[in-house]
């Protein structure tokens, strides 16, 4: 059995992906040239040399710098379409992608150009590659709730293009409790909600995301194992965790893959999904995350079928759409056993 090819064939959903985190160095240089932006790096190799991170913040500094080359609607389109071509190769059938509007409107970019560039590329990807999608607008937690509320106002005319809202950026010192009013307003506007919690932040941030923001899924959530009561609640309530293994290694949450707790969470019955977070910076897209989980953590092929099923079940797709994809996974699993 060629495991890489079997994993590629599995219908998968990507539920934790920052579109700005798919900006490959080559495209970054192309866009800088197109927009007459002078980069502080002489070439791609010098830029790639910077991709050694010791924590989340050291990554975010480089990542936000990268977004400065995204100026026009076409730039957002090209970024998103380039990601979808990679997603297709990895056997992804459905994506729920984050974008960070505050990183762009704060630089004078129109909200309209950002959302239209991204959503037009996703529509084209749906036609050309058969990849369905939802968009998640993510708020930067290092900024104030007031700033997020202003951006929410800008987003309301484009409400039909946005399925959910999220919370990302520097976690430590910026707990979910800072954004209670924002999330309440988002729910009043019928957005579904997710939040990054327990990536670097403590288990108490995960409690806050669940109890104060009443989110549907936790992004990362890996520090839940530090609080047995929390772990029990997550299992009992079947709350999905969108785990990003390669990201956690690159940002030194774990020193190496063998230390990662995602297999332990899976064995305990947590609904974990595997995702790529910011693949242009973390050394691999979704399939690479899947294969490394198999190779390094002892996930069997059957386990990986369950992981891909989790990704479908934890998505915001309709029950009918979920059922179709789950049946496909089941039949692949059956064939492989025979
Ligand atoms: N923004 C992009 N990637 C992120 C991550 N891993 N954690 C928090 N915010 C992010
Ligand atoms: Zn993330």
């Amino acid at each position: 059995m060629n495991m890489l090819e079997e994993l590629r064939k599995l219908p998968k959903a990507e539920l934790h992906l920052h579109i700005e985190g798919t900006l490959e160095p080559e495209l970054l240089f192309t866009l800088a040239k197109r927009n007459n932006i002078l980069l502080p790096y002489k070439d791609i190799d010098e830029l790639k040399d910077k991709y050694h991170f010791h924590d989340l913040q050291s990554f975010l500094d480089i990542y936000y710098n990268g977004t400065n080359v995204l100026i026009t609607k076409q730039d957002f389109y090209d970024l998103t379409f380039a990601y979808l071509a990679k997603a297709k190769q990895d056997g992804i059938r459905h994506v729920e992608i984050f974008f960070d509007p505050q990183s762009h409107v704060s630089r004078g970019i129109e909200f309209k150009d950002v959302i239209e560039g991204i959503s037009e590329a996703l529509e084209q990807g749906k036609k050309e590659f058969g990849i369905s999608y939802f968009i998640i607008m993510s708020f930067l937690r290092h900024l104030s709730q007031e700033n997020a509320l202003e951006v929410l106002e800008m987003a309301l005319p484009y409400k039909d293009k946005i399925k959910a809202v999220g919370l990302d950026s520097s976690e430590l010192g910026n707990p979910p409790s800072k954004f209670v009013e924002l999330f309440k307003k988002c729910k009043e506007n019928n957005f579904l909600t997710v939040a990054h919690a327990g990536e670097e932040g403590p288990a108490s941030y995960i409690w806050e995301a669940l109890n104060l923001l009443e989110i549907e899924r936790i992004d990362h959530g890996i520090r839940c194992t530090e609080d047995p009561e929390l772990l029990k609640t997550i299992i009992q309530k079947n709350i999905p965790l969108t785990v990003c293994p390669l990201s956690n290694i690159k940002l030194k949450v774990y020193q190496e893959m063998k230390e990662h707790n995602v297999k332990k969470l899976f064995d305990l019955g947590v609904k974990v999904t595997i995702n790529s977070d910011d693949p242009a910076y973390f050394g691999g897209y979704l399939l690479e995350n899947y294969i490394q989980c198999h190779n390094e953590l002892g996930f069997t092929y059957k386990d990986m079928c369950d992981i891909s099923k989790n990704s479908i079940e934890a998505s915001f797709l309709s029950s009918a759409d979920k059922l179709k994809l789950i049946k496909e996974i089941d039949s692949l699993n059956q064939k492989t056993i025979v």
Side-chain angles (χ1 to χ4, degrees):
M1 179 181 200
N2 180 337
M3 186 57 71
L4 185 68
E5 289 317 308
E6 295 306 320
L7 295 179
R8 193 192 306 278
K9 275 190 241 159
L10 279 179
K12 295 173 284 299
E14 168 90 85
L15 304 181
H16 184 156
L17 176 109
H18 303 265
I19 197 63
E20 295 89 345
T22 68
L23 180 57
E24 289 287 342
E26 291 74 12
L27 183 58
L28 194 154
F29 268 78
T30 303
L31 296 183
K33 197 165 173 210
R34 185 152 103 187
N35 293 320
N36 290 316
I37 292 171
L38 193 62
L39 292 171
Y41 326 102
K42 72 173 182 314
D43 57 24
I44 288 176
D45 287 339
E46 194 181 325
L47 171 61
K48 283 189 185 163
D49 266 357
K50 308 267 178 242
Y51 292 7
H52 298 284
F53 313 112
H54 53 271
D55 59 7
L56 174 58
Q57 193 58 52
S58 62
F59 156 68
L60 290 172
D61 293 342
I62 297 277
Y63 161 86
Y64 292 131
N65 242 330
T67 61
N68 289 336
V69 302
L70 297 162
I71 308 286
T72 64
K73 174 174 160 182
Q74 187 68 44
D75 298 341
F76 288 94
Y77 183 100
D78 292 348
L79 173 72
T80 308
F81 200 75
Y83 164 66
L84 290 169
K86 289 211 157 69
K88 171 73 182 169
Q89 284 178 2
D90 278 2
I92 295 177
R93 302 285 290 276
H94 175 70
V95 295
E96 299 188 355
I97 65 170
F98 295 115
F99 76 111
D100 288 338
Q102 286 152 299
S103 306
H104 312 303
V105 296
S106 64
R107 299 180 289 116
I109 312 296
E110 294 289 331
F111 188 95
K112 182 177 191 287
D113 289 341
V114 181
I115 189 76
E116 287 186 349
I118 295 172
S119 60
E120 284 176 23
L122 286 163
E123 263 311 297
Q124 187 58 28
K126 192 172 177 178
K127 278 194 214 125
E128 224 170 285
F129 304 136
I131 300 174
S132 58
Y133 70 89
F134 289 125
I135 297 177
I136 308 176
M137 174 169 70
S138 202
F139 294 106
L140 300 181
R141 67 202 309 157
H142 68 274
L143 300 178
S144 67
Q145 175 164 252
E146 287 63 39
N147 188 279
L149 285 165
E150 283 168 24
V151 173
L152 175 61
E153 286 303 315
M154 289 180 201
L156 289 181
Y158 306 95
K159 202 169 150 174
D160 59 323
K161 297 190 188 300
I162 301 168
K163 183 77 171 177
V165 299
L167 188 63
D168 65 4
S169 192
S170 324
E171 189 180 9
L172 288 168
N174 295 299
S177 50
K178 187 175 158 185
F179 297 97
V180 172
E181 188 194 335
L182 172 70
F183 271 63
K184 187 167 166 271
K185 247 205 165 123
C186 289
K187 278 177 184 281
E188 284 165 7
N189 281 288
N190 296 319
F191 293 116
L192 298 173
T193 57
V194 298
H196 284 52
E199 176 186 17
E200 279 190 345
S204 64
Y205 285 21
I206 305 178
W207 278 121
E208 286 188 14
L210 292 174
N211 294 337
L212 302 180
L213 306 187
E214 300 179 8
I215 44 84
E216 321 272 335
R217 301 195 291 247
I218 299 277
D219 296 313
H220 294 293
I222 46 182
R223 287 192 61 187
C224 69
T225 42
E226 294 171 20
D227 180 336
E229 202 51 42
L230 175 62
L231 188 57
K232 207 167 104 194
T233 302
I234 286 173
I235 295 169
Q236 273 173 357
K237 296 194 170 166
N238 209 22
I239 295 161
L241 303 190
T242 65
V243 179
C244 307
L246 282 175
S247 162
N248 299 143
I249 307 308
K250 272 284 188 180
L251 303 189
K252 302 285 191 283
V253 177
Y254 300 101
Q255 297 313 305
E256 55 174 344
M257 197 60 137
K258 290 213 181 331
E259 287 173 24
H260 203 292
N261 70 358
V262 64
K263 179 67 162 57
K264 177 180 169 194
L265 289 166
F266 174 80
D267 289 340
L268 286 169
V270 177
K271 192 187 270 303
V272 286
T273 66
I274 287 174
N275 306 275
S276 65
D277 210 5
D278 302 285
Y281 294 90
F282 297 155
Y285 283 73
L286 190 63
L287 188 58
E288 185 61 26
N289 275 275
Y290 269 59
I291 194 74
Q292 289 210 24
C293 282
H294 166 73
N295 289 344
E296 306 287 330
L297 294 173
F299 280 96
T300 63
Y301 175 71
K302 163 146 193 339
D303 293 337
M304 295 314 290
C305 289
D306 288 340
I307 289 281
S308 62
K309 265 199 220 181
N310 283 353
S311 75
I312 306 299
E313 280 165 6
S315 76
F316 296 138
L317 283 167
S318 69
S319 305
D321 287 340
K322 286 182 186 181
L323 200 62
K324 270 189 242 155
L325 291 166
I326 285 169
K327 276 190 179 160
E328 270 189 57
I329 298 169
D330 282 341
S331 80
L332 283 169
N333 191 11
Q334 285 304 322
K335 262 193 237 149
T336 316
I337 287 167
V338 173

